[in-house]
Amino acid sequence: PISGTNVFKVGDYIQIGEGGSAKLHMIVETTGSTNGNGVISVDVEPFLKVSISSGTTVIYDNPRDQRQLQIK
């Protein structure tokens, strides 16, 4: 669980998932503080295309993007 206030700021990035399924998302809106259970609500872009289940890894410290650029 996360605790405290101002945990995330608009423009911060988070990684949802790990390995080949990992996706990088930017926070575009946040409640600013956690509830009593260490849960915080954030809006991200790009929007999630599928629901994430409880227990899905969310990395907020040094998130990484797994995409590769192709030069034509």
Side-chain angles (χ1 to χ4, degrees):
I2 300 170
S3 63
T5 58
N6 298 321
V7 176
F8 297 114
K9 296 180 182 90
V10 171
D12 285 352
Y13 284 90
I14 59 174
Q15 175 185 324
I16 299 176
E18 295 181 284
S21 66
K23 304 289 183 206
L24 195 63
H25 297 272
M26 183 174 69
I27 295 173
V28 294
E29 189 172 334
T30 178
T31 58
S33 61
T34 59
N35 69 11
N37 295 320
V39 175
I40 188 169
S41 295
V42 297
D43 291 337
V44 297
E45 286 186 7
F47 296 107
L48 298 173
K49 295 180 180 181
V50 295
S51 298
I52 58 172
S53 60
S54 178
T56 299
T57 300
V58 177
I59 298 173
Y60 56 91
D61 183 26
N62 198 23
R64 297 177 186 254
D65 193 0
Q66 302 295 325
R67 291 180 276 184
Q68 294 181 356
L69 296 176
Q70 291 184 337
I71 299 173
K72 292 184 178 186

